[in-house]
Amino acid sequence: MSKNSMSTAAAARIQSASAKSNGGSVSKGTFAARAQSAASNSGSTPPPNGPSTTGNPSGGGRGNNPPKGK
C-alpha cells in the first residue's frame, strides 16, 4: 500500500465521526463517502475479462473474443 492510500480503518473512523455528527447518516459526495470509496478501491483487482497482462495475445476466455459468425 502506498503512503497516500486510504486504509479501510481510516475510512471507517472518518465515516463514523461524520455519521455521529449528522444524526447517523453519511450523505453521497461527502468526504466520508469518498474516503470509504477510495479505501474499497485501493486494493482492487482488474476485471476478470480485462486485457492480457502477460504479453501473450488475447483470446478465448478473456472476454474479448471476436464476434461469432452468423
Side-chain angles (χ1 to χ4, degrees), residues 1-60:
M1 187 180 321
S2 76
K3 180 171 79 169
N4 296 328
S5 294
M6 176 65 67
S7 72
T8 53
R13 286 191 303 271
I14 293 166
Q15 193 167 20
S16 174
S18 178
K20 285 178 185 176
S21 65
N22 291 316
S25 65
V26 177
S27 300
K28 281 185 181 179
T30 61
F31 178 72
R34 293 192 321 265
Q36 193 69 36
S37 177
S40 68
N41 292 330
S42 66
S44 65
T45 58
N49 62 347
S52 172
T53 58
T54 63
N56 297 328
S58 297

